[in-house]
Amino acid sequence: MTATSIILAAGRSMRLRPLTDNQPKCLLDMGPKKILDWQLDALKSVGVFDVRMVVGYQKERIVDHIRTHHSDMRVTYIENPDFETTNTLFSLAKALQDFEGDFYYMNADVVFEQSILQRLSTYDGGGFLAIDRKQCREEEVKVQVQENQITAIGKHLDPATSYGEFIGVANFTGDFAKRFRQTVLAEAVTPNEMKFFEHALDVMVDKHDMFAVDITGLPCVEVDFPEDYEYAIQEVLRAFVQVDKG
């Protein structure tokens, strides 16, 4: 059973200004909680209380919030001081520098119903990525799939030939987690400073054990733009209630 999670929360989120002028995106209000609260509560629902959190922008606010509201979580904070000049590939490399093992992965800006993580928790022995099957936009991280195996991943893929969107939540286990860690550390070098972490998944030579887990219909959204934030509040949170009743 995966017992650790890595959450990337270092970025400044310029595209959401002015909402993020004075606070990190993961601490934006999302109904009765913050975005981060929903994520940490989802982790608790699958028995995960160990978190490695990569911080940067307004890191003190994140530390204070978790100390106040999630004292039951064991959190290791890893700072990315270069958060303005590097992207998620470098943040993940910092988290994996002195860590080997299975882990859940989360971008700190994803609002999702905890049943998505519960579904991912049932898989072992590979890399399992939560995929929303839909017609994708250029901006979204897309995947190509053959017989449930992910063969390519990234924003650069053609939306017309893509299987769906990777929502930024995954479960990396077994030998795949080890190979993925090696790839992340090898790729987090110049000139890859602005690469997303999915770059490491895409360039892995052996993808035989990287799979799409279909979460279509379960409420989720990655909050990148103001319209995403409004959609999360108006639609995703409402769907949380419907899933719970179901």
Side-chain angles (χ1 to χ4, degrees):
M1 176 181 174
T2 305
T4 300
S5 177
I6 294 176
I7 303 178
L8 303 190
R12 191 162 186 170
S13 309
M14 299 292 285
R15 294 177 296 186
L16 265 176
R17 295 182 66 185
L19 292 173
T20 53
D21 277 348
N22 298 302
Q23 64 181 338
K25 184 169 25 174
C26 65
L27 294 185
L28 290 177
D29 289 329
M30 190 55 57
K33 307 179 186 181
K34 309 291 187 182
I35 293 176
L36 182 59
D37 294 325
W38 291 106
Q39 294 195 341
L40 295 178
D41 288 344
L43 285 169
K44 294 174 191 179
S45 79
V46 294
V48 176
F49 291 84
D50 287 304
V51 178
R52 298 176 65 80
M53 179 163 290
V54 183
V55 293
Y57 176 63
Q58 296 278 334
K59 61 182 184 295
E60 297 84 3
R61 287 179 176 265
I62 296 175
V63 174
D64 288 345
H65 182 82
I66 293 177
R67 182 188 300 120
T68 302
H69 299 281
H70 299 277
S71 59
D72 53 344
M73 302 294 280
R74 298 176 291 272
V75 184
T76 301
Y77 296 99
I78 300 123
E79 185 174 2
N80 178 3
D82 303 314
F83 64 87
E84 296 205 62
T85 56
T86 62
N87 214 321
T88 56
L89 174 63
F90 274 63
S91 286
L92 183 55
K94 289 185 178 297
L96 294 175
Q97 196 71 46
D98 60 351
F99 174 80
E100 297 183 41
D102 299 350
F103 63 98
Y104 291 103
Y105 173 92
M106 297 181 196
N107 293 326
D109 59 357
V110 184
V111 181
F112 63 93
E113 213 277 333
Q114 66 184 28
S115 59
I116 289 177
L117 202 63
Q118 291 165 358
R119 183 171 297 185
L120 287 173
S121 73
T122 63
Y123 295 92
D124 192 23
F128 303 94
L129 282 65
I131 306 298
D132 185 8
R133 295 201 66 179
K134 64 177 187 178
Q135 179 61 50
C136 294
R137 301 173 295 179
E138 293 289 344
E139 169 64 23
E140 293 164 337
V141 176
K142 298 169 283 292
V143 295
Q144 293 177 345
V145 174
Q146 290 183 358
E147 297 181 353
N148 212 40
Q149 177 191 334
I150 296 174
T151 58
I153 180 170
K155 292 187 178 185
H156 64 283
L157 298 178
D158 181 357
T161 61
S162 295
Y163 177 87
E165 178 193 5
F166 170 49
I167 69 164
V169 182
N171 184 13
F172 298 126
T173 68
D175 185 63
F176 181 90
K178 296 177 182 177
R179 301 194 325 268
F180 177 48
R181 174 182 181 271
Q182 293 170 350
T183 306
V184 169
L185 296 178
E187 291 294 320
V189 295
T190 302
N192 292 338
E193 284 87 353
M194 297 311 296
K195 295 283 189 183
F196 294 92
F197 97 95
E198 290 91 354
H199 166 76
L201 292 170
D202 195 46
V203 301
M204 289 180 70
V205 176
D206 184 0
K207 298 185 181 70
H208 80 277
D209 49 357
M210 181 163 66
F211 300 101
V213 176
D214 191 344
I215 54 87
T216 306
L218 297 177
C220 63
V221 63
E222 186 167 13
V223 180
D224 288 322
F225 301 98
E227 55 265 34
D228 298 329
Y229 183 62
E230 291 303 318
Y231 175 78
I233 292 173
Q234 298 298 326
E235 300 296 334
V236 175
L237 287 180
R238 185 183 306 161
F240 280 13
V241 176
Q242 294 174 353
V243 170
D244 289 342
K245 287 181 179 179

